[in-house]
Amino acid sequence: MRRLVTRRIQYLIVFLSHFFCNLCLVKNKNDSWVVVGVETAAMLKNISQALPQAISVNFKPHRFYDFKYNHQIYTTNKLSRLKNDFISALLLGYLMSRYNRFLYIGEASFLIKNKDGRAKEFALLKSKDKMLACYFLGSEIRSFNLLGEYAKQNNIDVLTTYQSISQPGINSEKKERLRKKLAKTANKYADFIFNPAMDQMTYIDRKTHPMIYFLGHDAFYQGLNKFDELKEIIILHGPSSPLIKGTPLVRAAIKKLQEEGYRFKYLEMIEVSHSELLDALQSAHIVLNQFYAFLPGVFGMEAMASSCVLLTSADETIETSLDEGANEAWIVTPYWNIYDNLKMLLDNPDLMKPQAKAGYDWALKNCSYDAGAKKLNHIVNA
């Protein structure tokens, strides 16, 4: 009942804010994008910076990032949540009076979503002739039912196979209905949708655009000379969520290789800062990314940018939205091949340097900030 009352008050505030801002402010509308989201893997920051003169709105602080945004609406308790419900409605009315384009990252919204998947909020924006884009990031849109059926048909484990263990309840029918509604709302209202069709399989039945990566210039480190004298091979694994990234299988492969007499240094970095991971990449030779997904994680891209050999389950023959040549940039490693592919590299260390160079070149061409900004603007500002 409280949410219903709050939501009705929100709509009243949006209407009044929009009305008075239109009445009192200069009438010229701005064609810059308003980028809305909760910071995840620096995507809110990067997309906001990639779009000329974009306005950024962040709804939640990040424990590892401390970026600056044009508007920050953070909730710490019930009282601040209620206050921020009204502030976000006030802000939406103001932004609607000033800007014509809105890009939503993930499932973020100004108004209480309730169970409509942002349908009323999007309908309101479209009634004012606003352009809409949705940029989905993963679990908020990925269907457990659809991906589970794909896994069953192909007799494989996928990312969602173990996700409900690390995140109990995420696979509930209630959550699935919300994901479906989120997809259907985007399907109906969005002018552009960014969502990799296989890795984030969902209920969208129209063309979507691929995931875009934005690696900063400082992320690229052409340190191929670390392969010239391989006194000690360093293997790095830095999972954000160990179970769904395949960490138990990584540990099993590492243990078997050690038992067989192979000598190397294995670094497993969990719950460490982003800067610590980036520092470790500069000296690492082999990086084990994730092994149930069809796309590399951002960490995988950063590994290639740091001249590391990347092993990951991502496969351009499955996720066809990947840029051309992806399967040559890394060693495609489904979860059952982790041991075999690691052993191949340890037995043939001369293969590592050319593989690392191929990954570096591909990442520079396709995943740098400049390349990402060009791709994004070509789609939404063409």
Side-chain angles (χ1 to χ4, degrees):
M1 183 64 180
R2 187 193 70 81
R3 289 175 64 86
L4 178 61
V5 172
T6 301
R7 187 166 185 161
R8 288 178 176 174
I9 295 174
Q10 278 189 311
Y11 279 101
L12 177 61
I13 292 173
V14 172
F15 172 79
L16 293 174
S17 174
H18 183 258
F19 175 80
F20 283 109
C21 287
N22 269 333
L23 190 67
C24 302
L25 300 177
V26 178
K27 297 296 188 296
N28 293 337
K29 291 288 194 301
N30 192 318
D31 277 335
S32 299
W33 284 90
V34 176
V35 184
V36 185
V38 170
E39 187 59 88
T40 305
M43 291 303 289
L44 176 57
K45 174 189 77 78
N46 288 329
I47 290 176
S48 301
Q49 292 181 351
L51 296 171
Q53 299 180 319
I55 300 299
S56 57
V57 182
N58 186 32
F59 286 104
K60 187 178 180 180
H62 195 284
R63 56 180 175 166
F64 293 139
Y65 300 127
D66 187 27
F67 304 133
K68 302 302 179 185
Y69 309 93
N70 296 100
H71 303 281
Q72 302 176 103
I73 304 176
Y74 298 160
T75 296
T76 56
N77 53 51
K78 288 184 178 180
L79 183 60
S80 69
R81 185 184 303 120
L82 182 62
K83 179 187 72 174
N84 286 342
D85 285 342
F86 299 147
I87 291 175
S88 62
L90 189 71
L91 179 60
L92 176 59
Y94 164 73
L95 294 172
M96 285 171 56
S97 73
R98 302 292 294 154
Y99 298 93
N100 286 326
R101 302 179 179 190
F102 289 75
L103 188 153
Y104 285 74
I105 298 175
E107 59 182 342
S109 65
F110 288 94
L111 308 180
I112 296 175
K113 296 186 292 297
N114 203 0
K115 298 178 182 179
D116 74 348
R118 301 186 295 206
K120 289 185 174 64
E121 183 166 334
F122 283 11
L124 176 63
L125 287 165
K126 296 307 285 186
S127 74
K128 303 299 181 183
D129 295 322
K130 306 302 179 183
M131 184 172 286
L132 271 176
C134 291
Y135 197 110
F136 293 112
L137 298 174
S139 296
E140 83 281 7
I141 196 70
R142 185 183 292 113
S143 166
F144 274 71
N145 291 352
L146 296 180
L147 201 54
E149 184 60 31
Y150 175 87
K152 183 178 179 181
Q153 291 174 358
N154 291 274
N155 192 30
I156 59 171
D157 290 345
V158 293
L159 192 148
T160 53
T161 303
Y162 301 102
Q163 195 170 7
S164 60
I165 300 174
S166 59
Q167 296 175 262
I170 194 173
N171 62 331
S172 69
E173 281 304 311
K174 179 181 178 181
K175 291 288 182 67
E176 185 73 3
R177 286 194 298 272
L178 291 175
R179 286 187 286 267
K180 187 172 185 178
K181 190 63 180 177
L182 194 67
K184 293 297 184 182
T185 298
N187 207 55
K188 180 177 180 180
Y189 292 106
D191 298 280
F192 310 100
I193 301 175
F194 294 83
N195 189 66
M198 289 300 296
D199 189 75
Q200 295 173 192
M201 196 178 294
T202 189
Y203 299 94
I204 295 170
D205 57 12
R206 48 180 276 204
K207 178 185 176 181
T208 60
H209 298 282
M211 177 75 75
I212 298 175
Y213 297 89
F214 300 89
L215 299 185
H217 300 292
D218 56 348
F220 286 88
Y221 170 70
Q222 198 169 20
L224 293 172
N225 58 335
K226 62 186 173 183
F227 293 98
D228 292 340
E229 292 186 24
L230 288 171
K231 295 179 180 178
E232 182 179 52
I233 294 175
I234 300 174
I235 301 173
L236 174 62
H237 181 50
S240 56
S241 182
L243 187 58
I244 64 175
K245 301 294 185 181
T247 301
L249 297 177
V250 167
R251 291 176 179 174
I254 292 294
K255 181 62 176 175
K256 185 174 182 180
L257 289 166
Q258 290 171 334
E259 289 295 309
E260 291 176 348
Y262 287 92
R263 295 289 174 259
F264 53 84
K265 182 178 181 180
Y266 173 60
L267 295 177
E268 187 174 285
M269 304 181 71
I270 300 174
E271 292 292 320
V272 301
S273 69
H274 185 239
S275 60
E276 287 179 88
L277 279 173
L278 292 181
D279 288 343
L281 285 175
Q282 294 199 2
S283 58
H285 300 99
I286 301 170
V287 168
L288 308 175
N289 183 215
Q290 55 186 9
F291 298 98
Y292 296 118
F294 302 138
L295 279 179
V298 173
F299 180 59
M301 297 302 185
E302 291 170 336
M304 289 190 292
S306 293
S307 302
C308 299
V309 176
L310 177 65
L311 273 63
T312 180
S313 56
D315 188 340
E316 67 174 322
T317 65
I318 298 174
E319 181 53 74
T320 57
S321 67
L322 282 163
D323 287 297
E324 184 179 356
N327 282 12
E328 285 70 53
W330 56 77
I331 298 176
V332 178
T333 306
Y335 61 86
W336 58 88
N337 279 345
I338 298 172
Y339 165 83
D340 293 326
N341 287 348
L342 269 177
K343 184 177 185 300
M344 174 197 65
L345 290 172
L346 295 174
D347 286 339
N348 302 278
D350 56 305
L351 297 177
M352 286 194 277
K353 186 173 183 177
Q355 180 62 58
K357 184 179 187 307
Y360 178 91
D361 291 344
W362 186 89
L364 184 63
K365 178 182 178 181
N366 297 294
C367 306
S368 68
Y369 176 85
D370 291 341
K374 183 178 179 180
K375 290 178 187 177
L376 181 62
N377 280 281
H378 179 73
I379 294 168
V380 302
N381 286 329

